[in-house]
Amino acid sequence: MKLAVVTALYTDDPNKLYGDIIHYEHDKDGVDYICYTNSDYISEDFWDVRKTDVWRDGRWSARKIKTAPHRVLPDYDAWLWMDAQIYFAYDPVSLAEKYLENHDVAVHSHSDRTCIYQETQAALQRPGTKRDTAEMVINQAEQYKKDGYAEGRGLYENGILFRRNNDNVVKFNEMWFEETAKWNTEDQISFCYSLWKMPEIKVNRINKTFIAHQPQNNLEKTDEFATLPRAMRHVG
């Protein structure tokens, strides 16, 4: 399997980075590790750091790479998206082969919520972060209800996301990107909606959690992934 491990770390302030990439030291074994950024201050021997222009803002730029890796990395059998603060403890190819066997997408269950409408309320209550307008978050939920998306259909943690590169997944990626771009950067909401619109996508729900806090849902902690705390890093 030709696998790309992909992350992104963009900034709206050239002198600050929100977090850091994981500094691995193991043998790559043919896996490509690619980090997209707009910063001059990410220098890393392990990762292939690729600088791009900002799209809308830093958060939106990361969402563009996350939702549509086929646009920038078309020549892979699969992509493993990893939020910048998450790392794995096992060989990524073995993990991809394990979780993508007979599936198009593999993703962990959400640690705390079970519905996009619960996630909508959580998004509206997050303090102190510049994310999205309340109007757009509310309008998205109302539109999805009008479309017939029911409550209680489940929710995923998108910080780790395995995807095969095939026609259905590329079509799904495009839908997810368009839905995210239309509404807001809360991509977990548009992710579930896009999967609902494409029932042909075979999803492997991983019923474990990699989050650092105590989960509200009854999920066992995985030993395959772990999460580091985020912190604002001054650079330059």
Side-chain angles (χ1 to χ4, degrees):
M1 175 183 289
K2 186 179 181 183
L3 177 67
V5 176
V6 189
T7 194
L9 192 59
Y10 287 86
T11 181
D12 295 324
D13 183 334
N15 295 313
K16 294 178 182 178
L17 285 174
Y18 190 48
D20 199 357
I21 53 178
I22 301 296
H23 300 284
Y24 292 116
E25 295 181 354
H26 59 264
D27 193 321
K28 295 181 183 180
D29 290 328
V31 176
D32 289 336
Y33 295 76
I34 303 165
C35 173
Y36 289 92
T37 186
N38 65 320
S39 174
D40 292 323
Y41 296 104
I42 297 179
S43 179
E44 171 67 37
D45 292 334
F46 189 90
W47 291 82
D48 177 0
V49 178
R50 301 185 183 184
K51 189 176 178 184
T52 70
D53 293 333
V54 169
W55 179 67
R56 296 185 177 177
D57 64 19
R59 186 172 170 83
W60 276 112
S61 299
R63 292 300 179 272
K64 187 176 182 180
I65 299 295
K66 181 178 184 177
T67 57
H70 63 280
R71 293 187 176 187
V72 290
L73 299 168
D75 298 323
Y76 289 87
D77 299 319
W79 309 281
L80 170 53
W81 167 268
M82 304 278 288
D83 280 0
Q85 82 279 12
I86 299 171
Y87 64 96
F88 49 79
Y90 291 82
D91 166 45
V93 173
S94 296
L95 292 172
E97 290 175 343
K98 171 184 175 180
Y99 287 117
L100 288 177
E101 183 181 10
N102 301 320
H103 294 89
D104 299 307
V105 173
V107 60
H108 289 78
S109 296
H110 200 279
S111 59
D112 300 319
R113 291 176 284 282
T114 58
C115 177
I116 66 169
Y117 301 113
Q118 294 175 1
E119 184 67 14
T120 296
Q121 293 303 311
L124 294 172
Q125 295 168 13
R126 290 188 182 108
T129 57
K130 180 186 175 184
R131 289 197 172 187
D132 306 286
T133 67
E135 179 183 17
M136 292 301 288
V137 175
I138 292 169
N139 288 347
Q140 180 187 30
E142 290 179 347
Q143 182 59 58
Y144 288 179
K145 284 182 180 179
K146 289 179 182 177
D147 292 346
Y149 190 95
E151 296 182 9
R153 291 185 56 90
L155 192 67
Y156 301 101
E157 298 273 11
N158 292 347
I160 299 169
L161 185 57
F162 298 88
R163 277 168 287 181
R164 287 195 184 278
N165 184 357
N166 59 37
D167 290 344
N168 280 341
V169 171
V170 168
K171 183 179 177 182
F172 163 77
N173 286 347
E174 286 293 333
M175 182 182 297
W176 185 24
F177 168 75
E178 294 295 340
E179 282 298 317
T180 305
K182 184 196 305 183
W183 295 109
N184 53 69
T185 61
E186 299 293 341
D187 61 77
Q188 293 174 139
I189 299 172
S190 53
F191 180 79
C192 289
Y193 176 83
S194 300
L195 284 177
W196 175 65
K197 296 288 284 187
M198 286 196 64
E200 60 269 36
I201 295 290
K202 298 177 182 177
V203 181
N204 185 2
R205 178 192 290 269
I206 306 170
N207 287 311
K208 292 186 178 182
T209 185
F210 54 85
I211 50 84
H213 65 262
Q214 183 63 36
Q216 295 183 32
N217 293 335
N218 187 23
L219 292 173
E220 178 186 352
K221 288 286 185 74
T222 181
D223 65 349
E224 296 170 335
F225 300 94
T227 304
L228 296 175
R230 290 182 179 179
M232 187 69 76
R233 180 163 63 97
H234 291 264
V235 292

